[in-house]
Amino acid sequence: MRIIGFLGPWYHHHVAPPLLFQLLGDAEQIQSAPGYRLVVATLDITGIDLARNKAIEWALAEHLDYLVMQDADTFALGPWILGAVRVLEAEQAAIAILPVMIERENSPVNVTPAPTSDDPYEAESGGTGLIAIRMAEIARIAAEYEGPWFERTYHDARHAHVKDTGDIWFCHRVREHGGRVMVLPGMETAHDALVQQRYIPPSRRPDEGR
């Protein structure tokens, strides 16, 4: 039996209703799949990098096969967890990420490089709003790496200008130790920031210029 741990670092347990509906669909899909079991937990703590570091340590201590993390304001428009886990298994990758739209100067999507088709591909890094992690890879890395899993870095000594967010740091550390980061661009996602930002898979976008 492969155990999938779902943990939301949700401060004061604030969760968008669409996320709850999505999670119910995920739970039903996983329950009907032989050989998998879903364990759901929440972590009420301030500081997203601290929460994610604690989530990784929780998954290691509980000997989970997979850890899924999802931000409170980010959701997929349909079940995604089992599909991400199966990509991790097929690719023997460490991380699987669903793209999410964000407000960023150099790219409107939170994965590098950005998707050009609906097919899974290996990436340099990505955000962890919707992420699945193969814990066997993390346990392997933990045997030789003692630093934080998530840590924000800055361009300046006063920490006023962010260089990399903690999720980018995490992807870079995993890749430095031989892990692979996969992006799954075939599912529509939504990011409820001040205004809902919707990621549309490349195959469903209207052709530009028509």
Side-chain angles (χ1 to χ4, degrees), residues 64-192:
L64 302 182
D65 296 290
Y66 301 95
L67 172 64
V68 172
M69 291 191 287
Q70 184 167 346
D71 288 353
D73 63 350
T74 305
F75 54 93
L77 275 69
W80 69 278
I81 294 173
L82 187 60
V85 164
R86 285 175 169 160
V87 168
L88 289 175
E89 293 173 343
E91 298 289 339
Q92 292 295 287
I95 298 171
I97 292 172
L98 266 62
V100 173
M101 299 301 289
I102 57 174
E103 291 292 340
R104 193 167 63 180
E105 292 182 2
N106 58 336
S107 174
V109 69
N110 71 337
V111 293
T112 303
T116 57
S117 77
D118 291 4
D119 298 327
Y121 65 95
E122 188 166 354
E124 175 186 329
S125 62
T128 51
L130 291 157
I131 184 172
I133 303 166
R134 190 161 66 96
M135 292 308 300
E137 277 288 87
I138 301 304
R140 176 186 65 78
I141 295 169
E144 56 190 47
Y145 172 70
E146 296 182 350
W149 300 110
F150 293 84
E151 183 171 53
R152 183 167 297 202
T153 59
Y154 299 86
H155 288 290
D156 61 311
R158 297 198 184 277
H159 291 191
H161 303 283
V162 175
K163 179 182 178 183
D164 285 324
T165 54
D167 38 19
I168 304 304
W169 168 279
F170 177 55
C171 290
H172 288 172
R173 300 292 81 74
V174 166
R175 292 180 70 242
E176 283 176 0
H177 289 83
R180 300 174 66 214
V181 177
M182 299 296 298
V183 173
L184 284 59
M187 174 165 283
E188 195 169 342
T189 64
H191 181 201
D192 276 323

